[in-house]
Amino acid sequence: MDLNYGAEYEDFHKEVQAFCKEYQGVSFKSESNDNNMSDALSGSSATKKSKKEVTRSEWQQILIEKGYIARAIPKEYGGYGGETDIIKSRIIATEFSKAKVPGGMGGQGIDMLVPTLLEWGSEEQKQKYIRPTLHGEMIWCQGYSEPNAGSDLASLQTKGELIDGNWVINGQKIWTSTAQYSQMMFCLVRTEPQAPKHSGISFILIPMDTPGIEIRPLVDMTLKAGFNEVFFDDVTVPEENIVAKRGEGWSVANSVLGHERGSLADPNATMNRLNTLINMMKEQTIDGRRLIDIPSYRDRLMQVQGKVMASQAHSLRLLSSKINPGQNVKLGGMIQKLVGTELRHELEGLAIDVLGEIGTLYEDSPYLKEDGSFQFTYMYFLGLIIGGGTNQIQKNIISERGLGMPKEPKITEAS
Amino acid sequence: MDLNYGAEYEDFHKEVQAFCKEYQGVSFKSESNDNNMSDALSGSSATKKSKKEVTRSEWQQILIEKGYIARAIPKEYGGYGGETDIIKSRIIATEFSKAKVPGGMGGQGIDMLVPTLLEWGSEEQKQKYIRPTLHGEMIWCQGYSEPNAGSDLASLQTKGELIDGNWVINGQKIWTSTAQYSQMMFCLVRTEPQAPKHSGISFILIPMDTPGIEIRPLVDMTLKAGFNEVFFDDVTVPEENIVAKRGEGWSVANSVLGHERGSLADPNATMNRLNTLINMMKEQTIDGRRLIDIPSYRDRLMQVQGKVMASQAHSLRLLSSKINPGQNVKLGGMIQKLVGTELRHELEGLAIDVLGEIGTLYEDSPYLKEDGSFQFTYMYFLGLIIGGGTNQIQKNIISERGLGMPKEPKITEAS
Amino acid sequence: MFFGLSEEQEQFQDYVKKFLADNVTVDEIRKIANGEDEALAKEIYSGLINLGINALLVPEEHGGLGAGLLSAVAVAQGLGSGVGPIPFAGAYVMAPIAINLAGSDEQKAKYLPQIVSNETKFGVGLSEYVAAREDAGIDLASGKANGKALFVIDGDEADYFLLSNKGGVLFLVDPKDKGLEITKLTSVDKTRSYLELNLKNVAAEVLPGSENNPEIAKKVLDAGRIIFAADSLGASETMIEKAVSYAKERKQFNRVIGSFQAVKHMCAEMASDLEPCYAMLWQAAHSFDHEPDEARLQACQAKSHISEVAKMVSKKATEVHGGMGFTDLLGLHYWFKRIGLNRQLLGGPELIREEAAEIQGFNQ
Amino acid sequence: MFFGLSEEQEQFQDYVKKFLADNVTVDEIRKIANGEDEALAKEIYSGLINLGINALLVPEEHGGLGAGLLSAVAVAQGLGSGVGPIPFAGAYVMAPIAINLAGSDEQKAKYLPQIVSNETKFGVGLSEYVAAREDAGIDLASGKANGKALFVIDGDEADYFLLSNKGGVLFLVDPKDKGLEITKLTSVDKTRSYLELNLKNVAAEVLPGSENNPEIAKKVLDAGRIIFAADSLGASETMIEKAVSYAKERKQFNRVIGSFQAVKHMCAEMASDLEPCYAMLWQAAHSFDHEPDEARLQACQAKSHISEVAKMVSKKATEVHGGMGFTDLLGLHYWFKRIGLNRQLLGGPELIREEAAEIQGFNQ
């Protein structure tokens, strides 16, 4: 056991600390912030007003130049051109979080499309898409789920036909967040209707201003999480917008899906939320008694803290396994989505319970605590328990791939 | 809602009360009581020494004559010859329990075999077996489960062949309680190997002194619950020992199985155990502090109490549905085994937790509370969660028969 | 001996359920929750009032139906099962019970018939009597009330508010009093109203029977808790029904998802935990009506236990619905949120369990 | 940066596991638990001592291995995984730590080498320091100890007992002292010893460093708790492995039961809840060794959280085994009971969580 990053990282650590000191309190110019729940989800406290102002894209540029984001992405595609270094990533994340300096942009373009293109894209596609995506000039949304293809994603039916050198796409996607703000969608489309279901899918890039695309906001139980449905009516894009070969879409998509699942419940965000809860329990009262002084609340708090501490330690073990190739934590990676989303839902539910009637307040109500983020996050994480492979599907995966248990036997009839 | 039994039962109620007064403190002559855990299971307090002494069979005789047991069993078979009256049964149970007067004998002969014979037996079988069974002169054990036929009971393989007017039986049974003390076994035997699995089974009565029977005690995790394995090696019994027809054994057995499942977790027994726990939490201390004054223990106690109260009220509703034919509580009956066994296991586990290290004591240790019954019952009820149709099987039944959900699709291959 | 709802009670419940099924689909609930159609809201309200739910607990001598709490429970189950977007627990249960138990003869003669004719509606604020948050609470002195009442229920367009001080003295205030300031609170459950009252020297009309008898306020509280438990029970029942029927329809992997053991077991677990709650609830209401010594404990345990079961049901039923359960399309979340609010009203499970222990003398 | 057991630690654990796998099958455990074969018990004990587990925590200057608690955790996981029927937490962890931290130079020089040579074995009784049951507890005055110590561990054939008064003063007593009466207690877990001591004017040899420093006893307690957590973790790991492999073999309804989703999900739930416990445990031990400020909270949380997870695992794994899990044939219950005893030793989850809150200053 060695929790030090080693002497070779000391300089880097200092550099990052200096950077954070310089930019502490940085804030973004002229940007709407209508979804202040994203702070709650990521566990960070709401950003305070400050002296330094930059635009989002200036900030993105600064971070790329320092190699604090897009580190391992080649210079020719607009990245920093360094090597993947998980410890450096961790140092950056930790110091940024400590100093409350904002990180780089996220989103499905940067987190999912860029790694996908680096692995599967043609040289032209890399040249064309990666740089603007990294710099926040090209926002992407994801077109995977369909109303009838949820847990059974591979049964998706959105159809793509190659007609005169163009893909003509018809069908419907759901759970597409940021569709309204996106320039592009990466989309799974059934192009080989005769093939077995997993090998009939292609991965196609679609400009969102293509005629025939209709975006309808999909209201969800939080009333504010911002998903959409996207409808395609003879949407026509050039043949070269396919990534990899026809029918390889399932493999392309799966190469980065794992990453998404793990990131749904970051243990550090959970720890931050726990701390928010603890502070609130010290401040709020019932009949003049602090919430934290009520033993049954406190006992539940301690139970949740135990789970959060276990999760945090576990994430260190996973980090370690990435740096130390001999360390096998295969099962440990598989459980992250299941355990993390359930824990977060439990934590937010505890916060609601200790707040009592106050905990039921929402939207712009007076007496709202933490912007009503406990209710929002409680529901949002129920959504995450369901989304990204329901936790029932996760248990299948854990038992089959993690524990080597047999798959469900094939069935003779659909009932 | 009317919780009174009605005027017509007042006389009967008084009669029972008078009887209980007369026999309060009755105890049994010269009988070994090596399994004092049965009190803990049934939730009754250990019997104290007393003035009135009768033998078990005298007591049985008294109760039958009063119609307090074997009430609806015809006189010619040794019963009381009255009519089934659920309210009278309830009055008897309640008053006996209040006055701590012992009930009649139980066991698989009286509880399962007698009702089975009444429904399926030939006149000769009824004449021959019911009276001695009711009077405790003929003890029965049950031969259903086999090592390879647990949840899938119908796959049992103990073989019976009709040779020269005799059933020749070979195979093995497991979970046979009281096998050592029994004169007879009622047994499920595969007699029609060609038939589909549910229709190849017969219900056969086997004298336990037949040559070829070997009984081996089966030690379980409690070390004292008293199950056995029974082996058959060319065990030969007359052809007429079959109940109903060849191949009808599955139906015969199922007609009383439901009864057994419900009785595994009597809510009144659970309530008695809760009260035992509450008293103990008022008496026992940690650092001089009563256990019940420790808020996190108390909160768990209140949670369990809520469940116990719900169970008790529910059993009244079920009783009511038996008296009032219009009242449909089908689902309500199906859940009893699942809910009752889990609740009891939880309750006993709570008792262990509040006792801390004391709660881990067992057998004849000093400082044992309630004869170590919390540990015994905690484990025994884990056994009941598994036995009599595991709680996983129960959930299948509830979802399929109670909620009308589809069965598992048929499988093409055994994996 | 009969343990359960009587035929009349079941019928009453069926009327409520049928009315809601016929008139209050998810689309209507959504409109009302969003405040988009006040006319519709009023129509639904009148429709339910026409069934007589307001008159249930008013004694016959004052023109009411003279029914017991069990009948109100039957109705509340129905309202919960269809997320009935109307006042009930406060306006038509707690208020008439309070006035009947603690009102002077004049007050009874004045207010109870007005409840029956629905001329007068009562908002009810007993939260601070249970557990004061945000230092709220009301002082009562020389006929004047000062302070703050939070989480007042059924208060939209109320003609009076029924409030309590910390000692359980119940009193009425008039919304038109100049010293009374009303602020709307927004909860996750927008099917019911939720208010804050600020009182400065507001004239208080005390219900005299409550002045030296703290048992009255407790009794009113018991009734409210039992009704919220009933509402959550009804909502849970519907969520399970919806989950089961969705699971029988929805196909994934070439099978209806209801044929997967994981889904079946989730449904079986919900049903098994909910099933005993009916009897528990009815027994609590029956005790409220007929066995006062046992009513308080049963009310506490019913509220806390059913709240826990309902929370579990609200989660699992949503999970069975998959992504659809998370959307607003099916509107399942209205039930989810109804259960969420009921859970906290008049005390969350931990607080109520502590009261249950107190009632039994467990915490010295 | 490396988070986990080192190669040496894993190797050490593997030796322990292999030794137990080779020498301590369920039949052997049963014999030992039933007290039927003392020679066998001694053989196993010597075998494990020969691996050096006794010398782990003794500093090198006293002839030991000078390892940290994390190494002891590695061993304890191994012992738990094979229900190793030998003393460990008390005799070879808590005792050497106590002596090393609080002993005088003479005491260290005397006792620590004797631990390494296994000439001297320590039973340990700190239960009353944690939470006194049955009015037990020891008074210490003028070098004499009076009172009662319950649930003393590792005490069979002990050469000394390490005890504490309520103030955390640690001291040694000699079993041969006339004032000392030893009674055997029987727990469900018969793989380890469990004693009661009654002391009347027993000569007490105080470890002087503990006299004015209550932190020492706490530190010893932390170590014990971490070790019991490790034992339960190891036992849970084995129970899951056994459940998974049983489910892959056992057929019912023409399928291996491990192909039923209900069984698969039970296994997945066990594995998912247990998996993060490894890191939690190792971090607690690492903090014990290197980050004392964080160690107490982590020790408390590891003990209580892992106890809860292990309880769940012990139930579900038994259920997966069906009737066989309930029998003595497979002996699964030895693991079940091991987990059951560990849960209560040195404080059950509720008590320890309350301590965790205290450490953080949450309960004023």
Side-chain angles (χ1 to χ4, degrees), chain C residues 326-345:
Chain C
F326 185 63
T327 64
D328 181 50
L329 296 171
L330 297 183
L332 193 71
H333 64 99
Y334 289 110
W335 282 262
F336 182 95
K337 291 167 179 173
R338 185 103 173 185
I339 288 169
L341 180 58
N342 288 340
R343 180 177 173 89
Q344 309 301 342
L345 288 174

Side-chain angles (χ1 to χ4, degrees), chain C residues 42-326:
Chain C
K42 279 190 181 149
E43 208 175 288
I44 289 166
Y45 180 28
S46 326
L48 284 161
I49 291 296
N50 285 342
L51 296 178
I53 63 170
N54 51 324
L56 266 180
L57 289 167
V58 174
E60 287 172 280
E61 55 186 298
H62 296 292
L65 297 172
L69 192 68
L70 186 59
S71 299
V73 156
V75 169
Q77 282 181 239
L79 289 172
S81 104
V83 289
I86 60 153
F88 187 66
Y92 306 124
V93 177
M94 297 168 78
I97 287 176
I99 293 167
N100 194 44
L101 288 176
S104 64
D105 289 343
E106 293 74 27
Q107 286 171 325
K108 290 186 207 177
K110 176 179 171 194
Y111 295 119
L112 292 174
Q114 289 178 358
I115 292 178
V116 176
S117 61
N118 211 33
E119 288 159 78
T120 300
K121 222 182 87 187
F122 291 86
V124 175
L126 290 188
S127 289
E128 287 71 32
Y129 177 65
V130 177
R133 309 262 174 180
E134 301 284 327
D135 300 320
I138 299 177
D139 286 326
L140 193 63
S142 327
K144 297 288 180 188
N146 280 284
K148 180 157 76 176
L150 285 172
F151 319 118
V152 172
I153 55 171
D154 295 353
D156 276 356
E157 300 180 35
D159 301 291
Y160 293 93
F161 290 108
L162 170 67
L163 304 173
S164 161
N165 71 357
K166 198 69 199 169
V169 179
L170 300 170
F171 58 93
L172 305 177
V173 298
D174 186 336
K176 294 184 291 295
D177 191 299
K178 279 182 200 151
L180 185 64
E181 191 195 335
I182 303 176
T183 312
K184 289 215 177 202
L185 303 175
T186 309
S187 90
V188 281
D189 173 19
K190 295 186 198 164
T191 62
R192 289 171 296 174
S193 95
Y194 215 33
L195 299 181
E196 167 186 2
L197 306 184
N198 275 284
L199 297 88
K200 277 190 192 140
N201 280 317
V202 172
E205 180 186 342
V206 170
L207 301 184
S210 68
E211 271 187 308
N212 297 306
N213 186 356
E215 289 307 307
I216 302 284
K218 286 182 186 164
K219 188 106 184 148
V220 174
L221 192 61
D222 291 344
R225 285 173 172 170
I226 291 172
I227 293 298
F228 287 127
D231 198 274
S232 282
L233 183 80
S236 300
E237 177 179 272
T238 301
M239 288 194 89
I240 296 175
E241 282 169 11
K242 283 177 185 280
V244 169
S245 48
Y246 187 80
K248 288 179 188 169
E249 296 289 327
R250 168 83 172 175
K251 281 193 180 185
Q252 292 279 278
F253 305 104
N254 295 321
R255 307 164 50 168
V256 291
I257 61 168
S259 71
F260 284 102
Q261 209 181 18
V263 174
K264 288 164 70 170
H265 283 201
M266 286 171 90
C267 291
E269 287 157 13
M270 288 192 278
S272 301
D273 280 357
L274 190 68
E275 193 63 20
C277 292
Y278 291 91
M280 179 185 214
L281 177 70
W282 298 336
Q283 188 165 43
H286 178 79
S287 294
F288 184 92
D289 292 333
H290 302 290
E291 317 239 14
D293 289 352
E294 300 180 17
R296 291 221 65 208
L297 175 61
Q298 289 181 6
C300 287
Q301 283 289 16
K303 172 68 159 64
S304 63
H305 178 64
I306 293 174
S307 293
E308 300 285 25
V309 171
K311 181 183 178 183
M312 178 278 285
V313 168
S314 72
K315 175 174 185 256
K316 279 192 189 162
T318 306
E319 283 188 76
V320 169
H321 280 83
M324 274 299 128
F326 185 63

Side-chain angles (χ1 to χ4, degrees), chain B residues 32 115 169 183 213 335:
Chain B
S32 74
I169 297 165
Q183 282 79 41
I213 293 181
I335 64 160

Side-chain angles (χ1 to χ4, degrees), chain A residues 1-2 4 290 298-299 302 305-306 313 317 320 324 327 338 395-396 399-400 403-404 406 408-409, chain D residues 1-4 248 255 261 264-265 268-269 272 275 279-280 283 286 301 353-354 360 362-364:
Chain A
M1 195 89 149
D2 174 11
N4 299 313
R290 300 189 316 166
R298 193 168 60 227
D299 189 61
M302 289 299 95
Q305 186 183 51
R317 184 174 164 221
S320 169
N324 303 280
Q327 208 178 1
L338 173 66
K395 289 179 194 175
N396 285 351
S399 62
E400 290 165 17
L403 303 174
E408 296 263 320
Chain D
M1 188 269 183
F2 177 80
F3 190 106
K248 288 179 189 169
R255 307 164 50 168
Q261 209 180 15
K264 288 164 71 171
H265 283 201
E269 286 156 14
S272 300
E275 192 65 21
M280 178 184 216
Q283 188 165 42
H286 177 79
Q301 284 288 17
R353 282 196 294 265
E354 198 57 11
Q360 298 172 85
F362 290 166
N363 38 358
Q364 294 173 307

Side-chain angles (χ1 to χ4, degrees), chain D residues 158-358:
Chain D
D159 302 289
Y160 293 93
F161 290 108
L162 170 68
L163 304 173
S164 162
N165 71 358
K166 199 68 198 169
V169 179
L170 300 169
F171 57 93
L172 306 176
V173 300
D174 186 335
K176 295 185 290 297
D177 191 300
K178 279 180 202 153
L180 186 63
E181 190 195 335
I182 303 177
T183 313
K184 288 215 178 203
L185 304 175
T186 309
S187 89
V188 282
D189 173 18
K190 296 185 197 165
T191 62
R192 289 171 295 175
S193 94
Y194 215 33
L195 300 180
E196 167 186 3
L197 306 184
N198 276 283
L199 298 87
K200 279 190 193 141
N201 281 317
V202 172
E205 180 186 343
V206 170
L207 302 184
S210 68
E211 270 187 308
N212 298 306
N213 186 356
E215 290 306 307
I216 301 286
K218 288 182 185 164
K219 188 107 185 147
V220 174
L221 192 60
D222 292 345
R225 286 173 170 170
I226 291 171
I227 293 300
F228 286 126
D231 197 272
S232 282
L233 183 80
S236 301
E237 177 180 273
T238 300
M239 287 193 90
I240 296 175
E241 282 169 11
K242 283 176 184 281
V244 168
S245 47
Y246 187 80
K248 288 179 189 169
E249 295 290 327
R250 169 81 173 175
K251 281 192 180 185
Q252 291 280 276
F253 306 104
N254 295 321
R255 307 164 50 168
V256 291
I257 61 169
S259 72
F260 284 102
Q261 209 180 15
V263 174
K264 288 164 71 171
H265 283 201
M266 286 171 90
C267 292
E269 286 156 14
M270 288 192 277
S272 300
D273 281 357
L274 191 69
E275 192 65 21
C277 293
Y278 291 90
M280 178 184 216
L281 177 71
W282 297 337
Q283 188 165 42
H286 177 79
S287 293
F288 184 93
D289 292 333
H290 301 290
E291 318 239 12
D293 289 351
E294 300 180 17
R296 290 221 65 209
L297 175 61
Q298 289 181 7
C300 286
Q301 284 288 17
K303 172 68 160 63
S304 63
H305 178 65
I306 293 172
S307 293
E308 300 285 26
V309 172
K311 181 182 178 182
M312 179 278 285
V313 167
S314 73
K315 176 174 186 257
K316 280 192 190 162
T318 305
E319 283 188 77
V320 168
H321 280 83
M324 273 300 129
F326 185 65
T327 65
D328 181 51
L329 295 171
L330 298 182
L332 193 70
H333 64 97
Y334 290 109
W335 283 261
F336 182 95
K337 292 167 179 174
R338 184 103 173 183
I339 287 170
L341 180 58
N342 288 340
R343 178 177 174 90
Q344 309 301 343
L345 289 173
L346 304 180
E350 277 86 2
L351 296 182
I352 296 194
R353 282 196 294 265
E354 198 57 11
E355 259 189 77
E358 226 168 79

